[in-house]
Amino acid sequence: MKLESIALHHGYKPEDNQKAAATPIYQSSGFTIDDTQHGADLFDLKVEGNIYSRIGNPTNAVLEDRVAAMEGGVAGLALASGMAAITYAIQCITRSGDNIISTNQLYGGTYNCFTHSFPKQGVTVKMVDGADYEAIEKAVDEKTKALYCESIGNPLGNIIDLEMFAEIAHKHGIPLIVDNTVATPYICRPIDFGADIVIHSLTKYIDGHGATIGGIIVDSGKFDWTKEPDKFPMLNEPDPSYHGIVYSKQFGTAAFIACCRVVPLRETGACLSPHSAFLIMLGLESLGVRMERHCQNALALAKYLDNHEQVAWVNYAALPNDKYYDVCQKITQGQASGIITFGIKGGMSAAIKFIDALQMILRVLSMGDAKSLACHPASTIHRQLTPEQLVLAGVSEDMIRISVGIEHIDDIIQDVEQAIQASMR
Ligand SMILES: Cc1ncc(COP(=O)(O)O)c(C=O)c1O
């Protein structure tokens, strides 16, 4: 099936579910076992089955299979938020003393987690510019366990040449982890370019209606964790917390995702509620048509802003004059999703007046909703960054971010225009 059809049908059979056409919500914390031996076999991971919804739930399993299929991976793990997905993916393969390398151009929450929380637990994150391949190569050492980036950076809109990144990561025997939240699988499938692990904040375009928080990790199943077994002991050494299981032996190509489920998820518990999984799947059904409209509206607004005499600059990679235009053609099929950043003449105070003057576009700090949303990153989602970190992340004081929705483009432009006029008063 093509992506549009996978989003509607994959991983679910009505005949196995009382012929219900919509995926039922299995609102149950626990599941019955046949007998004590069955329970023991489930706990030994000798047989597959549901035990307890912190570790797995049949409604969530449909979402996991669907998103994994759309991304071209072997399996997925749905979690309570995008931040949980990022944290667990990294915790699964790092120990105190290890490091990962990440691009600077990241969502503010990820930036904070990488520069404060992980280092406090002994895992350092070496930040590099996403276009500086030499700096990435130089940063790799024997304790480096992954290369991390956002396919389309939030909020900057920079696009990473994932093929180059995968080549560098694999040359050094480490996996490439890609946060594909802004792009979505409709615009880019990182695994096709060599990525090993894909992450989404499901909260954004996949839910698409601003209703639910969720995250997912997708495992490509392609990274060979056994090639340098000492580099990834968590996957290659017996795990005493699970009767000495060796994940790479027991689960083969799905070792990473199995370990994410039974170690960080089982032990720290950021599971997705099945009710949220149901809502996210409703959103996912229309992702294709929404993305088409998001991209179409965003390009029209970007062109409008680019030609506006009160606008100082615009970042939107599908504009032919954009710095990332060529990589956008290569990696994201010439589409740049729905996020536009720009500055208006008059700097930060004009940016704030602009946002405060919006009438239809909502002042919401999230993105990827069907509705258009706007924010001032430097004073909100990137507020905790130092002035130097803001420069490295590409977040200027005058930056306005619009997550362009699927309303009629005339209404979006009209609201933007009246807010630009208001910003000049
Ligand atoms: C690119 C990106 N990744 C991850 C996250 C974190 O996701 P969540 O808010 O679902 O934890 C966000 C949130 O804005 C994001 O923009």
Side-chain angles (χ1 to χ4, degrees):
M1 286 192 283
K2 306 272 190 221
L3 289 190
E4 290 80 352
S5 319
I6 295 174
L8 288 151
H9 298 288
H10 186 86
Y12 179 73
K13 286 197 185 124
E15 52 274 31
D16 295 344
N17 291 278
Q18 307 286 341
K19 305 215 163 137
T23 308
I25 303 171
Y26 283 93
Q27 193 67 44
S28 182
S29 53
F31 298 85
T32 56
I33 50 172
D34 300 340
D35 50 33
T36 309
Q37 185 58 49
H38 180 218
D41 290 345
L42 284 165
F43 268 86
D44 279 349
L45 306 176
K46 283 185 185 152
V47 294
E48 277 189 28
N50 297 300
I51 305 174
Y52 188 58
S53 282
R54 169 153 42 80
I55 312 165
N57 174 284
T59 309
N60 295 18
V62 180
L63 173 66
E64 288 164 349
D65 286 355
R66 224 165 250 190
V67 177
M70 291 175 78
E71 286 288 4
V74 290
L77 177 63
L79 294 160
S81 68
M83 287 315 300
I86 294 166
T87 305
Y88 286 3
I90 293 167
Q91 278 181 345
C92 185
I93 49 171
T94 53
R95 281 180 178 174
S96 178
D98 289 341
N99 66 73
I100 67 160
I101 299 170
S102 168
T103 58
N104 277 312
Q105 296 89 1
L106 297 173
Y107 159 61
T110 310
Y111 200 104
N112 259 332
C113 176
F114 283 4
T115 49
H116 298 288
S117 296
F118 276 127
K120 275 185 211 144
Q121 291 165 7
V123 175
T124 46
V125 183
K126 300 181 185 181
M127 297 291 208
V128 292
D129 186 303
D132 190 347
Y133 306 125
E134 230 177 87
I136 301 173
E137 294 261 9
K138 272 194 199 143
V140 181
D141 62 33
E142 73 285 359
K143 289 283 187 187
T144 304
K145 299 300 161 81
L147 176 59
Y148 185 97
C149 67
E150 293 178 3
S151 45
I152 302 183
N154 173 23
L156 193 61
N158 62 304
I159 301 184
I160 297 295
D161 186 335
L162 297 176
E163 214 165 45
M164 285 292 291
F165 264 49
E167 202 181 303
I168 298 171
H170 296 160
K171 183 170 140 196
H172 295 281
I174 56 172
L176 172 62
I177 305 178
V178 178
D179 179 336
N180 200 32
T181 301
V182 177
T184 82
Y186 274 100
I187 294 183
C188 171
R189 299 203 324 161
I191 294 171
D192 293 345
F193 295 101
D196 302 287
I197 294 150
V198 176
I199 282 167
H200 282 278
S201 163
L202 297 169
T203 317
K204 309 297 182 324
Y205 288 107
I206 292 185
D207 171 71
H209 298 83
T212 319
I213 302 281
I216 196 164
I217 307 173
V218 173
D219 185 350
S220 71
K222 292 189 176 148
F223 191 80
D224 185 0
W225 304 101
T226 61
K227 201 167 169 195
E228 285 181 82
D230 296 345
K231 202 172 212 158
F232 301 104
M234 279 81 119
L235 299 175
N236 291 305
E237 284 176 3
D239 181 355
S241 78
Y242 234 114
H243 328 298
I245 204 170
V246 177
Y247 297 104
S248 57
K249 282 201 185 130
Q250 179 92 9
F251 296 102
T253 54
F256 170 82
I257 205 79
C259 185
C260 284
R261 187 184 295 278
V262 300
V263 182
L265 174 58
R266 183 182 67 135
E267 287 166 16
T268 67
C271 56
L272 183 71
S273 137
H275 191 258
S276 296
F278 173 83
L279 290 173
I280 291 165
M281 279 190 279
L282 285 187
L284 179 63
E285 290 190 354
S286 63
L287 179 64
V289 286
R290 281 187 287 109
M291 286 316 289
E292 252 177 62
R293 180 68 168 253
H294 281 297
C295 292
Q296 193 185 319
N297 276 355
L299 182 60
L301 180 62
K303 283 183 182 163
Y304 183 84
L305 291 168
D306 204 31
N307 291 318
H308 201 294
E309 58 174 21
Q310 284 309 316
V311 173
W313 56 270
V314 183
N315 283 335
Y316 189 66
L319 285 178
N321 58 357
D322 193 271
K323 193 172 158 188
Y324 296 98
Y325 182 78
D326 291 339
V327 67
C328 173
Q329 303 304 311
K330 176 177 171 188
I331 302 293
T332 57
Q333 306 172 52
Q335 311 268 28
S337 192
I339 308 299
I340 298 180
T341 49
F342 64 101
I344 42 183
K345 290 178 184 162
M348 178 161 166
S349 67
I352 288 169
K353 278 192 205 161
F354 170 91
I355 286 172
D356 292 351
L358 289 168
Q359 289 172 358
M360 178 191 78
I361 298 174
L362 301 175
R363 285 173 286 278
V364 169
L365 306 177
S366 190
M367 57 153 201
D369 290 8
K371 299 180 182 96
S372 291
L373 314 174
C375 76
H376 180 245
S379 58
T380 56
I381 48 177
H382 284 73
R383 190 175 183 81
Q384 272 75 40
L385 273 64
T386 64
E388 296 75 34
Q389 288 173 333
L390 284 174
V391 171
L392 291 173
V395 179
S396 54
E397 278 196 332
D398 65 341
M399 179 188 272
I400 295 165
R401 183 187 77 183
I402 297 191
S403 170
V404 183
I406 61 171
E407 299 95 342
H408 196 287
I409 186 61
D410 293 354
D411 295 324
I412 296 173
I413 289 178
Q414 194 182 33
D415 197 16
V416 166
E417 182 55 41
Q418 68 77 26
I420 291 176
Q421 297 310 320
S423 75
M424 289 155 47
R425 280 179 219 130

